[in-house]
Amino acid sequence: MLRVHFGLTDLARVRFGGAFPEDLAGACLEEALNRVHPDVRWCPPTLLVNRHPERDVHLDGRGLVVVLGAGCSEPTLTEEGDRPATLCCPLGPAPRPDEERLDALTGVFGRTRVRILHALRQESTTSDLAQRLAVSPSTASQGATELRKVGLIASRRDGGAVRHRLTGLGWRILTESPLRDG
């Protein structure tokens, strides 16, 4: 996962380019960063990019240009000296797991854990997970704990809540096609 670390001056230097969707036109900066692509998540003061090689980037006052729909197939960050870093994001949704894949994962992880993985395509608290999946908070917490133990999700405390998100491995297991025997 790529982690882009922002300083105070970096936020003021965020610019958007490319095919800017109308539904982001009135969004505040944080909301826009969270909605540019399903693989990109704003967790102040860091922008997290799933399905990207493991890397930490500190903007150090350079700022960031987010280019939407510029022909890239997945979010990609480039840097050139002291110039702002550029994050290229494709337009359109990330691939969704097919039913056959979800059935196969259910056989390995169990129905509730696969539902948790699927729900965590968007970062959620334990309470949000329980409510969205119509399970008890303890069931959601226990499932998240087991998925965290095997590295499929990461969790962090946020005040009185615990927030969960997919790791790169969790994302790949949920969305990538399995290897075929051949």
Side-chain angles (χ1 to χ4, degrees), residues 1-6 33-57 64 75 77 87 89 121 123 154-156 163-168:
M1 175 179 301
L2 171 68
R3 291 168 297 280
V4 181
H5 302 274
F6 283 71
L33 287 172
N34 267 325
R35 292 174 47 202
V36 295
H37 190 272
D39 284 342
V40 177
R41 237 181 7 266
W42 173 248
C43 296
T46 307
L47 189 66
L48 305 172
V49 182
N50 281 332
R51 298 175 52 136
H52 195 283
E54 188 78 18
R55 188 165 79 141
D56 282 286
V57 172
L64 179 70
L77 186 86
L87 178 65
C89 292
R121 291 167 57 84
E123 185 177 72
S155 304
R156 65 178 171 86
R163 301 189 71 77
H164 310 284
R165 62 171 174 77
L166 286 176
T167 62

Side-chain angles (χ1 to χ4, degrees), residues 127-142:
S127 298
D128 291 340
L129 280 175
Q131 185 176 19
R132 285 173 37 205
L133 302 177
V135 298
S136 71
S138 63
T139 297
S141 178
Q142 182 180 25

Side-chain angles (χ1 to χ4, degrees), residues 71-91:
C72 53
S73 60
E74 59 187 45
T76 307
L77 186 86
T78 56
E79 300 178 86
E80 278 187 40
D82 291 339
R83 299 185 66 181
T86 302
L87 178 65
C88 174
C89 292
L91 292 178

